């Protein structure tokens, strides 16, 4: 599911910072995401997105987060013999992704600043067909990725619900989101041990 911004503006006359005191250890905090030190794969393979984790809210279960806050800022792509965009996958966690500015590399034409996508637990997703074709044929030389872009993701072991406003009232839901994967062709070669396919 993807929600895109449109002409409808919601203006709030309140702020979470208009308070007299904070309860417990909750306090407002401001952080410039452009100061985040990016780590990336430098040899081969697409690294797990957890390398982009800025904040984690731990659960009582070791290794399982209530929520991770992840960003995908400008960085270098240098991995060799690799499909560099995010790979196709399913998660045991739900992902809500948004774009603050720029163009998200896995869906350059269909993901606008202010938009968001939700992939609930075990929902398959990944780059659109155009991104797949482009990345599959690209010469693997060092390149800048996502310059001028800032994308984020909230990943949670809990289920996320979309409000009625988000689904209906806002008129921002992209009912054709799934169509970005329809042009994908199968390149699976079950009898080949070579990533390039049978010779």
């Amino acid at each position: 599911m993807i929600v895109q911004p449109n002409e409808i503006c919601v203006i709030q006359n309140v702020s979470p910072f208009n308070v007299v005191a904070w309860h417990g250890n909750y306090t407002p905090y401001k952080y410039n995401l452009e100061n985040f030190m990016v780590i990336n794969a430098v040899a081969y393979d697409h690294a797990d997105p957890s390398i982009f984790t800025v904040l984690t809210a731990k659960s009582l279960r070791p290794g399982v987060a209530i929520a991770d806050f992840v960003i995908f800022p400008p960085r270098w792509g240098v991995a060799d013999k690799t499909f560099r965009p995010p790979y196709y996958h399913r998660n045991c966690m739900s992902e809500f992704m948004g774009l603050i500015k720029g163009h998200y590399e896995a869906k350059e034409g269909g993901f606008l600043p202010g938009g968001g996508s939700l992939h609930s637990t075990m929902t398959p997703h990944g780059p659109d067909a155009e991104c797949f074709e482009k990345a599959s044929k690209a010469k693997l030389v060092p390149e800048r990725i996502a310059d001028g872009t800032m994308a984020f993701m909230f990943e949670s072991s809990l289920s996320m619900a979309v409000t009625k406003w988000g689904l209906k009232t806002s008129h921002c839901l992209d009912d054709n989101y799934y169509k970005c994967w329809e042009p994908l062709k199968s390149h699976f070669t079950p009898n080949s041990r070579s990533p390039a396919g049978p010779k």
Side-chain angles (χ1 to χ4, degrees):
M1 163 190 336
I2 192 165
V3 176
Q4 295 288 16
N6 64 15
E7 304 81 38
I8 298 172
C9 291
V10 177
I11 298 173
Q12 295 179 327
N13 58 3
V14 296
S15 166
F17 301 109
N18 292 342
V19 295
V20 174
W22 292 91
H23 175 71
N25 61 358
Y26 296 119
T27 57
Y29 185 79
K30 184 177 180 180
Y31 177 73
N32 183 348
L33 295 175
E34 292 178 351
N35 290 336
F36 182 73
M37 174 57 196
V38 178
I39 298 171
N40 209 348
V42 295
Y44 59 89
D45 228 346
H46 181 88
D48 186 90
S50 62
I51 64 172
F52 300 112
T53 302
V54 178
L55 293 170
T56 295
K58 295 180 182 179
S59 72
L60 296 176
R61 197 166 158 200
V64 178
I66 292 173
D68 288 328
F69 175 65
V70 179
I71 63 168
F72 303 102
R75 59 201 179 275
W76 279 98
V78 297
D80 198 20
K81 300 176 186 164
T82 299
F83 181 72
R84 289 183 180 171
Y87 45 82
Y88 299 94
H89 63 286
R90 300 175 196 230
N91 295 341
C92 58
M93 296 175 76
S94 294
E95 292 181 353
F96 175 79
M97 186 156 176
L99 186 62
I100 298 170
K101 64 179 182 176
H103 303 280
Y104 182 59
E105 70 254 32
K107 287 186 175 50
E108 286 192 25
F111 201 56
L112 305 174
S117 65
L118 175 61
H119 296 112
S120 297
T121 304
M122 299 310 290
T123 303
H125 57 285
D128 62 20
E130 183 180 341
C131 177
F132 175 83
E133 291 300 328
K134 182 178 169 186
S136 297
K137 297 170 185 165
K139 188 174 180 185
L140 295 179
V141 297
E143 64 177 333
R144 289 291 295 166
I145 299 171
D147 272 340
T149 294
M150 184 63 71
F152 70 90
M153 180 172 68
F154 283 103
E155 189 173 57
S156 178
S157 57
L158 306 175
S159 295
M160 296 184 202
V162 181
T163 64
K164 181 182 173 188
W165 185 90
L167 286 173
K168 302 285 182 197
T169 311
S170 70
H171 303 291
C172 293
L173 189 66
D174 181 356
D175 292 322
N176 296 314
Y177 178 52
Y178 68 94
K179 290 184 179 178
C180 71
W181 295 294
E182 284 185 341
L184 286 169
K185 298 178 181 80
S186 174
H187 297 282
F188 181 60
T189 53
N191 298 322
S192 172
R193 294 201 173 265
S194 167
K199 297 191 175 181

